[in-house]
Amino acid sequence: MTSNPDMRRMIPSVDRVLQASNDLVSQWGHSVVSALIREHIDQLRGATDLKLTEQACDVANIRDNVQAYLIEEDRRGIRPVFNLSGVVLHTNLGRACLPDQAAEAARLAGISTTNLEYDLRTGKRGERDHHAEHLICELTGCEAATIVNNGAAAIVLLLTALAQGRGVPVSRGELVEIGGSFRMTEIMEVAGCKLIEIGATNRTHLKDYEKAINADTALLMKVHTSNYRIDGFTQSVSAKDLIDLAHDNDLPCVFDLGSGCLIDYKALGLPAEPMAADYIAAGADLITFSGDKLLGGPQCGIIAGQKVLIDKIKNHPLKRALRPGAMTFAALAEVLKLYRYPEKLTQALPTLRHMTRPVPDMSAQADRLCPEMADILSPDFEVTKKACQSQIGSGSFPVESLDSFAICIKSVGQQDRDLRRLSTAFRQLPLPVIGRLNDGEFLLDLRCLDQEIQFVEQLPQLRDALLC
Ligand SMILES: *Cc1c(COP(=O)(O)O)cnc(C)c1O
Protein backbone atom coordinates (compact mmCIF):
# COMPACT_ATOMS: atom_id res chain seq x y z
CA MET A 1 0.00 0.00 0.00
CA THR A 2 1.41 3.36 -0.93
CA SER A 3 1.51 5.95 1.73
CA ASN A 4 -0.53 9.03 1.17
CA PRO A 5 1.54 11.99 2.37
CA ASP A 6 -1.46 14.34 2.26
CA MET A 7 -3.36 12.20 4.70
CA ARG A 8 -0.37 11.92 7.06
CA ARG A 9 -0.16 15.68 7.11
CA MET A 10 -3.74 15.83 8.34
CA ILE A 11 -2.88 14.16 11.64
CA PRO A 12 -3.01 17.00 14.19
CA SER A 13 -0.30 17.66 16.76
CA VAL A 14 -0.80 16.69 20.41
CA ASP A 15 -0.82 20.37 21.32
CA ARG A 16 -3.61 21.20 18.92
CA VAL A 17 -5.86 18.52 20.38
CA LEU A 18 -4.88 19.54 23.92
CA GLN A 19 -5.93 23.11 23.18
CA ALA A 20 -9.32 21.83 22.13
CA SER A 21 -9.56 19.70 25.29
CA ASN A 22 -9.44 22.31 28.05
CA ASP A 23 -12.65 21.02 29.57
CA LEU A 24 -11.22 17.49 29.77
CA VAL A 25 -8.02 18.78 31.39
CA SER A 26 -9.98 20.58 34.08
CA GLN A 27 -12.08 17.49 34.80
CA TRP A 28 -9.45 14.73 34.67
CA GLY A 29 -6.10 16.50 34.93
CA HIS A 30 -3.42 17.35 32.39
CA SER A 31 -1.26 14.26 32.58
CA VAL A 32 -3.83 11.58 31.75
CA VAL A 33 -5.53 13.69 29.07
CA SER A 34 -2.27 14.52 27.26
CA ALA A 35 -1.07 10.92 27.55
CA LEU A 36 -4.30 9.63 26.00
CA ILE A 37 -4.14 12.19 23.18
CA ARG A 38 -0.54 11.22 22.49
CA GLU A 39 -1.46 7.54 22.45
CA HIS A 40 -4.29 8.24 20.05
CA ILE A 41 -2.12 10.23 17.71
CA ASP A 42 0.63 7.63 17.79
CA GLN A 43 -1.96 5.09 16.72
CA LEU A 44 -3.01 7.30 13.81
CA ARG A 45 0.62 7.66 12.74
CA GLY A 46 0.99 3.90 12.71
CA ALA A 47 -2.35 3.29 11.00
CA THR A 48 -2.75 2.13 7.42
CA ASP A 49 -4.00 4.68 4.95
CA LEU A 50 -7.32 2.93 4.82
CA LYS A 51 -8.01 3.77 8.45
CA LEU A 52 -6.63 7.28 8.10
CA THR A 53 -9.84 9.01 7.18
CA GLU A 54 -10.49 12.70 7.43
CA GLN A 55 -12.84 12.02 10.33
CA ALA A 56 -10.25 9.97 12.24
CA CYS A 57 -7.85 12.91 12.05
CA ASP A 58 -10.41 15.49 13.11
CA VAL A 59 -9.39 17.32 16.29
CA ALA A 60 -12.90 17.30 17.78
CA ASN A 61 -13.24 13.61 17.01
CA ILE A 62 -10.00 12.75 18.82
CA ARG A 63 -11.10 14.83 21.78
CA ASP A 64 -14.44 13.00 21.88
CA ASN A 65 -12.71 9.64 21.78
CA VAL A 66 -10.50 10.58 24.70
CA GLN A 67 -13.52 11.79 26.64
CA ALA A 68 -15.44 8.58 25.96
CA TYR A 69 -12.47 6.57 27.23
CA LEU A 70 -12.23 8.63 30.44
CA ILE A 71 -15.96 8.33 31.10
CA GLU A 72 -15.74 4.59 30.63
CA GLU A 73 -12.77 4.46 32.98
CA ASP A 74 -14.74 6.29 35.67
CA ARG A 75 -17.39 3.61 35.45
CA ARG A 76 -14.84 1.04 36.55
CA GLY A 77 -14.54 2.43 40.07
CA ILE A 78 -16.57 1.21 43.05
CA ARG A 79 -20.23 2.05 42.45
CA PRO A 80 -23.46 1.31 44.23
CA VAL A 81 -25.47 -1.44 42.51
CA PHE A 82 -28.91 -2.91 43.04
CA ASN A 83 -28.40 -6.40 44.40
CA LEU A 84 -31.39 -8.26 42.99
CA SER A 85 -29.37 -11.46 42.67
CA GLY A 86 -31.37 -13.19 45.36
CA VAL A 87 -28.29 -13.57 47.58
CA VAL A 88 -28.47 -11.16 50.51
CA LEU A 89 -24.81 -11.38 51.55
CA HIS A 90 -23.12 -11.62 48.17
CA THR A 91 -19.33 -11.55 48.49
CA ASN A 92 -18.90 -10.27 44.92
CA LEU A 93 -21.37 -7.48 45.67
CA GLY A 94 -19.69 -6.36 48.88
CA ARG A 95 -21.75 -8.37 51.43
CA ALA A 96 -23.49 -6.35 54.18
CA CYS A 97 -24.86 -2.82 53.63
CA LEU A 98 -24.12 -0.56 56.56
CA PRO A 99 -26.86 1.18 58.50
CA ASP A 100 -26.85 4.96 58.08
CA GLN A 101 -25.32 5.77 61.46
CA ALA A 102 -22.42 3.38 60.80
CA ALA A 103 -21.80 4.82 57.33
CA GLU A 104 -21.91 8.33 58.80
CA ALA A 105 -19.44 7.40 61.55
CA ALA A 106 -17.11 5.98 58.88
CA ARG A 107 -17.47 9.16 56.85
CA LEU A 108 -16.57 11.37 59.80
CA ALA A 109 -13.61 9.16 60.65
CA GLY A 110 -12.54 9.40 57.03
CA ILE A 111 -12.61 13.16 56.61
CA SER A 112 -10.99 13.99 59.92
CA THR A 113 -8.06 13.12 62.12
CA THR A 114 -9.31 10.93 64.94
CA ASN A 115 -8.39 9.45 68.30
CA LEU A 116 -7.71 6.14 66.55
CA GLU A 117 -4.77 5.27 68.80
CA TYR A 118 -4.94 8.14 71.24
CA ASP A 119 -6.48 8.06 74.70
CA LEU A 120 -8.31 11.34 75.12
CA ARG A 121 -8.53 10.91 78.91
CA THR A 122 -4.80 10.47 79.55
CA GLY A 123 -3.38 12.16 76.47
CA LYS A 124 -1.26 9.06 75.93
CA ARG A 125 -1.10 6.46 73.21
CA GLY A 126 -4.26 4.35 73.02
CA GLU A 127 -5.23 1.09 71.37
CA ARG A 128 -7.38 1.02 68.25
CA ASP A 129 -9.09 -2.20 69.31
CA HIS A 130 -10.57 -0.34 72.27
CA HIS A 131 -13.09 1.40 70.03
CA ALA A 132 -14.98 -1.86 69.55
CA GLU A 133 -13.52 -4.35 72.01
CA HIS A 134 -15.75 -3.47 74.97
CA LEU A 135 -18.84 -3.90 72.80
CA ILE A 136 -17.70 -7.31 71.60
CA CYS A 137 -17.08 -8.32 75.22
CA GLU A 138 -20.52 -7.10 76.21
CA LEU A 139 -22.29 -8.90 73.36
CA THR A 140 -20.43 -12.22 73.49
CA GLY A 141 -19.40 -12.47 77.14
CA CYS A 142 -15.71 -12.73 76.21
CA GLU A 143 -12.84 -11.17 78.20
CA ALA A 144 -11.05 -9.50 75.31
CA ALA A 145 -11.14 -9.11 71.55
CA THR A 146 -9.07 -7.88 68.64
CA ILE A 147 -10.09 -6.82 65.16
CA VAL A 148 -8.37 -7.44 61.82
CA ASN A 149 -9.21 -6.94 58.17
CA ASN A 150 -11.41 -9.99 57.57
CA GLY A 151 -12.27 -13.45 58.81
CA ALA A 152 -9.41 -15.07 56.92
CA ALA A 153 -6.92 -12.65 58.49
CA ALA A 154 -8.34 -13.50 61.93
CA ILE A 155 -7.54 -17.18 61.42
CA VAL A 156 -4.10 -16.55 59.91
CA LEU A 157 -3.17 -14.25 62.79
CA LEU A 158 -4.55 -16.55 65.46
CA LEU A 159 -2.74 -19.59 64.10
CA THR A 160 0.50 -17.71 63.47
CA ALA A 161 0.54 -16.25 66.98
CA LEU A 162 -0.48 -19.41 68.81
CA ALA A 163 0.40 -22.41 66.68
CA GLN A 164 3.34 -21.58 64.40
CA GLY A 165 5.58 -24.60 63.91
CA ARG A 166 3.22 -26.84 65.84
CA GLY A 167 0.39 -29.22 65.14
CA VAL A 168 -3.32 -28.41 64.89
CA PRO A 169 -5.73 -31.34 64.58
CA VAL A 170 -8.75 -30.53 62.37
CA SER A 171 -11.51 -32.90 61.30
CA ARG A 172 -11.46 -33.94 57.63
CA GLY A 173 -15.13 -32.97 57.55
CA GLU A 174 -14.21 -29.35 58.28
CA LEU A 175 -11.40 -28.62 55.82
CA VAL A 176 -13.49 -25.98 54.13
CA GLU A 177 -12.90 -23.90 51.06
CA ILE A 178 -14.71 -20.57 51.27
CA GLY A 179 -14.56 -19.55 47.63
CA GLY A 180 -11.55 -18.13 45.84
CA SER A 181 -8.30 -18.78 47.60
CA PHE A 182 -9.47 -19.41 51.15
CA ARG A 183 -8.86 -23.04 51.97
CA MET A 184 -8.32 -24.19 55.51
CA THR A 185 -5.42 -26.38 54.40
CA GLU A 186 -3.67 -23.46 52.72
CA ILE A 187 -4.36 -21.03 55.55
CA MET A 188 -2.65 -23.48 57.90
CA GLU A 189 0.34 -23.57 55.58
CA VAL A 190 0.52 -19.78 55.41
CA ALA A 191 0.39 -19.62 59.20
CA GLY A 192 3.27 -22.08 59.38
CA CYS A 193 1.47 -24.70 61.42
CA LYS A 194 1.06 -28.38 60.80
CA LEU A 195 -2.40 -29.48 59.89
CA ILE A 196 -3.14 -32.86 61.45
CA GLU A 197 -6.10 -34.24 59.53
CA ILE A 198 -8.24 -36.47 61.67
CA GLY A 199 -11.39 -38.55 61.25
CA ALA A 200 -13.20 -39.06 57.96
CA THR A 201 -15.13 -36.64 55.75
CA ASN A 202 -18.45 -37.76 57.18
CA ARG A 203 -17.50 -38.90 60.69
CA THR A 204 -15.09 -37.65 63.30
CA HIS A 205 -15.11 -38.94 66.87
CA LEU A 206 -13.71 -37.57 70.10
CA LYS A 207 -11.20 -40.45 70.15
CA ASP A 208 -9.79 -39.17 66.83
CA TYR A 209 -8.85 -35.93 68.57
CA GLU A 210 -7.58 -37.83 71.62
CA LYS A 211 -5.24 -39.91 69.46
CA ALA A 212 -3.93 -36.84 67.62
CA ILE A 213 -2.96 -34.90 70.73
CA ASN A 214 0.74 -35.00 71.64
CA ALA A 215 3.46 -32.71 72.98
CA ASP A 216 3.57 -30.90 69.63
CA THR A 217 -0.12 -29.96 69.62
CA ALA A 218 -0.74 -26.21 69.82
CA LEU A 219 -4.50 -26.07 70.12
CA LEU A 220 -7.70 -27.79 69.10
CA MET A 221 -9.73 -26.16 66.39
CA LYS A 222 -13.21 -26.58 65.01
CA VAL A 223 -14.29 -24.92 61.78
CA HIS A 224 -17.94 -24.15 61.13
CA THR A 225 -18.85 -25.82 57.84
CA SER A 226 -20.67 -22.72 56.83
CA ASN A 227 -21.12 -23.15 53.11
CA TYR A 228 -21.96 -26.83 52.84
CA ARG A 229 -23.58 -29.56 54.81
CA ILE A 230 -22.62 -33.20 55.08
CA ASP A 231 -25.81 -35.23 55.34
CA GLY A 232 -26.52 -38.87 56.05
CA PHE A 233 -24.30 -41.09 58.16
CA THR A 234 -22.48 -38.35 59.99
CA GLN A 235 -20.84 -37.77 63.32
CA SER A 236 -19.00 -34.78 64.61
CA VAL A 237 -17.76 -33.87 68.04
CA SER A 238 -19.82 -31.34 69.96
CA ALA A 239 -18.27 -28.04 70.99
CA LYS A 240 -18.64 -28.95 74.66
CA ASP A 241 -16.85 -32.30 74.30
CA LEU A 242 -14.02 -30.73 72.35
CA ILE A 243 -13.63 -27.93 74.90
CA ASP A 244 -13.48 -30.48 77.73
CA LEU A 245 -10.89 -32.55 75.89
CA ALA A 246 -8.76 -29.48 75.11
CA HIS A 247 -8.86 -28.30 78.72
CA ASP A 248 -8.04 -31.79 80.07
CA ASN A 249 -4.88 -31.50 77.98
CA ASP A 250 -4.16 -27.86 78.87
CA LEU A 251 -4.77 -26.75 75.28
CA PRO A 252 -6.80 -23.80 74.01
CA CYS A 253 -9.94 -24.68 72.10
CA VAL A 254 -10.61 -22.45 69.10
CA PHE A 255 -13.70 -22.10 66.92
CA ASP A 256 -13.86 -20.52 63.49
CA LEU A 257 -17.54 -19.61 63.42
CA GLY A 258 -17.48 -18.00 59.97
CA SER A 259 -20.42 -15.68 60.47
CA GLY A 260 -20.76 -13.25 63.31
CA CYS A 261 -24.05 -14.33 64.75
CA LEU A 262 -24.74 -12.32 67.89
CA ILE A 263 -28.45 -12.94 68.35
CA ASP A 264 -30.82 -15.89 68.20
CA TYR A 265 -31.83 -16.19 64.55
CA LYS A 266 -34.39 -18.86 65.30
CA ALA A 267 -36.42 -16.35 67.28
CA LEU A 268 -36.62 -14.24 64.10
CA GLY A 269 -37.89 -17.14 62.04
CA LEU A 270 -34.49 -17.69 60.43
CA PRO A 271 -32.49 -20.94 60.48
CA ALA A 272 -30.31 -21.34 63.57
CA GLU A 273 -26.63 -20.38 63.29
CA PRO A 274 -23.94 -20.87 65.95
CA MET A 275 -24.16 -17.94 68.36
CA ALA A 276 -20.90 -16.37 69.48
CA ALA A 277 -22.09 -16.00 73.09
CA ASP A 278 -23.02 -19.69 73.34
CA TYR A 279 -19.48 -20.72 72.45
CA ILE A 280 -17.93 -18.34 74.95
CA ALA A 281 -20.37 -19.54 77.63
CA ALA A 282 -19.48 -23.16 76.82
CA GLY A 283 -15.82 -22.37 77.53
CA ALA A 284 -14.35 -21.73 74.08
CA ASP A 285 -10.98 -20.05 74.54
CA LEU A 286 -11.15 -18.16 71.25
CA ILE A 287 -13.71 -17.67 68.52
CA THR A 288 -13.30 -15.94 65.17
CA PHE A 289 -15.98 -14.48 62.92
CA SER A 290 -16.48 -12.00 60.08
CA GLY A 291 -17.85 -8.49 60.53
CA ASP A 292 -19.65 -8.25 57.20
CA LYS A 293 -21.61 -11.49 57.10
CA LEU A 294 -24.56 -12.03 59.47
CA LEU A 295 -23.22 -9.40 61.84
CA GLY A 296 -24.10 -6.84 59.18
CA GLY A 297 -21.12 -4.52 59.65
CA PRO A 298 -18.04 -3.43 57.74
CA GLN A 299 -15.52 -5.88 56.32
CA CYS A 300 -13.41 -7.07 59.24
CA GLY A 301 -12.54 -10.15 61.22
CA ILE A 302 -13.01 -10.48 64.96
CA ILE A 303 -11.11 -12.68 67.39
CA ALA A 304 -12.74 -12.88 70.80
CA GLY A 305 -12.00 -14.88 73.93
CA GLN A 306 -9.53 -15.23 76.77
CA LYS A 307 -7.47 -12.16 77.60
CA VAL A 308 -4.09 -13.92 77.88
CA LEU A 309 -4.49 -15.39 74.41
CA ILE A 310 -5.86 -12.17 72.88
CA ASP A 311 -2.89 -10.26 74.36
CA LYS A 312 -0.50 -12.70 72.73
CA ILE A 313 -2.28 -12.21 69.41
CA LYS A 314 -2.35 -8.42 69.74
CA ASN A 315 1.38 -8.36 70.40
CA HIS A 316 2.32 -10.48 67.41
CA PRO A 317 4.06 -8.41 64.68
CA LEU A 318 1.63 -9.74 62.06
CA LYS A 319 -1.19 -7.92 63.87
CA ARG A 320 0.08 -4.61 62.58
CA ALA A 321 -0.04 -5.85 59.01
CA LEU A 322 -3.63 -6.98 59.38
CA ARG A 323 -5.21 -4.18 61.38
CA PRO A 324 -8.07 -2.14 59.91
CA GLY A 325 -8.24 1.67 59.78
CA ALA A 326 -10.34 4.23 61.63
CA MET A 327 -13.29 4.04 59.23
CA THR A 328 -13.73 0.35 59.92
CA PHE A 329 -13.59 0.80 63.69
CA ALA A 330 -16.04 3.69 63.54
CA ALA A 331 -18.57 1.71 61.51
CA LEU A 332 -18.13 -1.48 63.50
CA ALA A 333 -18.73 0.25 66.83
CA GLU A 334 -21.97 1.80 65.55
CA VAL A 335 -23.23 -1.52 64.23
CA LEU A 336 -22.40 -3.28 67.50
CA LYS A 337 -24.23 -0.62 69.49
CA LEU A 338 -27.39 -1.41 67.53
CA TYR A 339 -27.27 -4.92 69.02
CA ARG A 340 -28.11 -3.38 72.38
CA TYR A 341 -31.63 -3.02 71.03
CA PRO A 342 -32.32 -6.46 69.60
CA GLU A 343 -36.01 -5.64 69.20
CA LYS A 344 -35.14 -2.87 66.74
CA LEU A 345 -32.49 -4.79 64.87
CA THR A 346 -34.68 -6.15 62.08
CA GLN A 347 -35.40 -2.58 61.07
CA ALA A 348 -32.13 -0.88 61.98
CA LEU A 349 -29.70 -3.33 60.40
CA PRO A 350 -30.08 -3.62 56.61
CA THR A 351 -28.81 -7.23 56.48
CA LEU A 352 -31.38 -8.37 59.03
CA ARG A 353 -34.09 -6.24 57.48
CA HIS A 354 -33.48 -7.91 54.14
CA MET A 355 -33.37 -11.40 55.63
CA THR A 356 -36.59 -10.96 57.58
CA ARG A 357 -38.50 -8.93 55.01
CA PRO A 358 -42.08 -10.24 54.93
CA VAL A 359 -43.07 -12.11 51.76
CA PRO A 360 -46.18 -9.92 51.23
CA ASP A 361 -43.84 -6.89 50.93
CA MET A 362 -41.96 -8.43 48.04
CA SER A 363 -45.21 -9.63 46.52
CA ALA A 364 -46.75 -6.14 46.60
CA GLN A 365 -43.55 -4.67 45.20
CA ALA A 366 -43.65 -7.13 42.31
CA ASP A 367 -47.27 -6.13 41.66
CA ARG A 368 -46.20 -2.49 41.45
CA LEU A 369 -43.10 -3.02 39.34
CA CYS A 370 -44.11 -5.70 36.83
CA PRO A 371 -46.46 -3.45 34.81
CA GLU A 372 -43.81 -0.69 34.63
CA MET A 373 -41.24 -3.18 33.49
CA ALA A 374 -43.61 -4.72 30.95
CA ASP A 375 -44.29 -1.28 29.47
CA ILE A 376 -40.63 -0.71 28.88
CA LEU A 377 -39.65 -4.15 27.64
CA SER A 378 -42.60 -5.07 25.42
CA PRO A 379 -42.91 -6.43 22.80
CA ASP A 380 -39.59 -8.30 22.88
CA PHE A 381 -39.83 -9.51 26.47
CA GLU A 382 -42.56 -10.94 28.61
CA VAL A 383 -42.70 -9.81 32.24
CA THR A 384 -44.38 -11.76 35.05
CA LYS A 385 -44.34 -11.89 38.82
CA LYS A 386 -42.79 -15.07 40.12
CA ALA A 387 -42.37 -16.71 43.51
CA CYS A 388 -38.70 -17.54 44.08
CA GLN A 389 -36.17 -18.46 46.76
CA SER A 390 -33.50 -16.13 48.05
CA GLN A 391 -30.38 -17.21 49.83
CA ILE A 392 -28.60 -15.59 52.75
CA GLY A 393 -25.22 -16.14 51.14
CA SER A 394 -21.62 -15.80 52.30
CA GLY A 395 -21.72 -19.30 53.61
CA SER A 396 -24.50 -18.67 56.07
CA PHE A 397 -27.35 -21.15 56.09
CA PRO A 398 -26.15 -23.19 53.12
CA VAL A 399 -29.24 -25.32 52.76
CA GLU A 400 -32.18 -23.23 53.88
CA SER A 401 -33.59 -20.57 51.60
CA LEU A 402 -36.09 -17.78 52.07
CA ASP A 403 -39.39 -17.36 50.20
CA SER A 404 -39.39 -14.29 48.02
CA PHE A 405 -40.83 -12.72 44.89
CA ALA A 406 -39.09 -11.74 41.68
CA ILE A 407 -39.76 -9.90 38.47
CA CYS A 408 -39.35 -12.67 35.91
CA ILE A 409 -38.40 -11.65 32.37
CA LYS A 410 -38.49 -14.00 29.40
CA SER A 411 -37.56 -13.40 25.79
CA VAL A 412 -40.66 -13.66 23.61
CA GLY A 413 -38.51 -15.22 20.90
CA GLN A 414 -37.10 -17.68 23.49
CA GLN A 415 -33.64 -16.40 22.69
CA ASP A 416 -30.96 -16.84 25.36
CA ARG A 417 -29.00 -14.23 23.47
CA ASP A 418 -31.75 -11.66 24.05
CA LEU A 419 -31.77 -12.42 27.76
CA ARG A 420 -28.02 -12.00 27.98
CA ARG A 421 -28.33 -8.71 26.13
CA LEU A 422 -30.99 -7.68 28.62
CA SER A 423 -28.88 -8.59 31.65
CA THR A 424 -26.01 -6.58 30.15
CA ALA A 425 -28.34 -3.61 29.62
CA PHE A 426 -29.40 -3.79 33.29
CA ARG A 427 -25.75 -3.71 34.30
CA GLN A 428 -25.13 -0.64 32.15
CA LEU A 429 -27.71 1.50 33.91
CA PRO A 430 -26.37 4.44 35.98
CA LEU A 431 -27.17 2.36 39.07
CA PRO A 432 -26.36 -1.09 37.69
CA VAL A 433 -28.96 -3.78 38.40
CA ILE A 434 -27.66 -7.28 39.10
CA GLY A 435 -30.17 -10.07 38.56
CA ARG A 436 -29.73 -13.73 37.82
CA LEU A 437 -30.11 -15.70 34.62
CA ASN A 438 -31.77 -18.98 35.30
CA ASP A 439 -33.12 -21.52 32.86
CA GLY A 440 -34.38 -19.18 30.14
CA GLU A 441 -35.45 -16.52 32.63
CA PHE A 442 -33.92 -13.33 33.94
CA LEU A 443 -34.93 -12.96 37.58
CA LEU A 444 -34.84 -9.80 39.66
CA ASP A 445 -35.36 -10.95 43.26
CA LEU A 446 -36.95 -8.01 45.07
CA ARG A 447 -35.90 -8.97 48.62
CA CYS A 448 -33.07 -6.38 48.77
CA LEU A 449 -34.71 -3.62 46.72
CA ASP A 450 -34.92 -0.68 49.12
CA GLN A 451 -34.77 2.27 46.75
CA GLU A 452 -37.73 1.57 44.55
CA ILE A 453 -38.04 5.13 43.25
CA GLN A 454 -34.46 5.27 41.98
CA PHE A 455 -34.92 1.81 40.49
CA VAL A 456 -38.00 2.87 38.54
CA GLU A 457 -36.60 6.25 37.52
CA GLN A 458 -33.77 4.82 35.50
CA LEU A 459 -35.76 2.05 33.80
CA PRO A 460 -36.55 4.06 30.64
CA GLN A 461 -32.81 4.12 29.94
CA LEU A 462 -32.97 0.36 29.44
CA ARG A 463 -34.50 0.95 26.02
CA ASP A 464 -31.43 2.90 24.85
CA ALA A 465 -29.07 0.37 26.40
CA LEU A 466 -30.88 -2.43 24.55
CA LEU A 467 -30.51 -0.64 21.23
CA CYS A 468 -26.72 -0.50 21.34
C1 LIG B 1 -16.43 -16.65 55.56
C2 LIG B 1 -15.63 -17.58 56.36
C3 LIG B 1 -14.28 -17.32 56.62
C4 LIG B 1 -13.55 -16.15 55.99
O1 LIG B 1 -14.04 -14.93 56.39
P1 LIG B 1 -13.80 -13.63 55.44
O2 LIG B 1 -14.39 -12.53 56.23
O3 LIG B 1 -14.52 -13.92 54.16
O4 LIG B 1 -12.35 -13.50 55.24
C5 LIG B 1 -13.60 -18.21 57.39
N1 LIG B 1 -14.18 -19.30 57.92
C6 LIG B 1 -15.48 -19.58 57.71
C7 LIG B 1 -16.08 -20.81 58.33
C8 LIG B 1 -16.26 -18.72 56.93
O5 LIG B 1 -17.55 -19.00 56.71
Side-chain angles (χ1 to χ4, degrees), residues 95 150-152 155 178 182 223-224 226 256-258 290 292-293:
R95 292 192 187 158
N150 50 43
I155 300 162
I178 317 274
F182 182 94
V223 182
H224 180 52
S226 49
D256 168 14
L257 300 182
S290 296
D292 56 350
K293 292 185 180 173

Side-chain angles (χ1 to χ4, degrees), residues 131-145 147 257 259-265 274-282 287 289-291 294-298 302-305 331-343 345 349 352:
H131 298 292
E133 185 174 12
H134 62 291
L135 292 163
I136 296 165
C137 293
E138 179 187 314
L139 295 166
T140 68
C142 69
E143 286 175 6
I147 293 116
L257 300 182
S259 248
C261 181
L262 299 179
I263 50 166
D264 183 4
Y265 278 74
M275 259 177 77
D278 289 346
Y279 281 79
I280 297 292
I287 56 175
F289 50 94
S290 296
L294 288 180
L295 197 150
I302 295 163
I303 312 175
L332 178 63
E334 287 307 311
V335 168
L336 292 173
K337 279 186 212 160
L338 291 177
Y339 278 88
R340 287 175 165 168
Y341 310 93
E343 69 285 359
L345 221 44
L349 201 59
L352 260 188

Side-chain angles (χ1 to χ4, degrees), residues 25 48 71 126 207 213 276 279 304 329 383 392 397 432 434 450 462:
V25 170
T48 59
I71 288 172
K207 65 174 189 290
I213 295 174
Y279 281 79
F329 280 100
V383 179
I392 307 238
F397 313 119
I434 315 295
D450 290 327
L462 264 180

Side-chain angles (χ1 to χ4, degrees), residues 91 95 149-155 174 176-178 182 184 187 221-227 256-259 273 288-293 299-302 394-396:
T91 300
R95 292 192 187 158
N149 278 324
N150 50 43
I155 300 162
E174 297 170 5
V176 296
E177 172 177 309
I178 317 274
F182 182 94
M184 215 55 205
I187 292 284
M221 180 168 184
K222 203 164 160 58
V223 182
H224 180 52
T225 55
S226 49
N227 56 0
D256 168 14
L257 300 182
S259 248
E273 269 280 299
T288 69
F289 50 94
S290 296
D292 56 350
K293 292 185 180 173
Q299 182 196 300
C300 63
I302 295 163
S394 271
S396 312

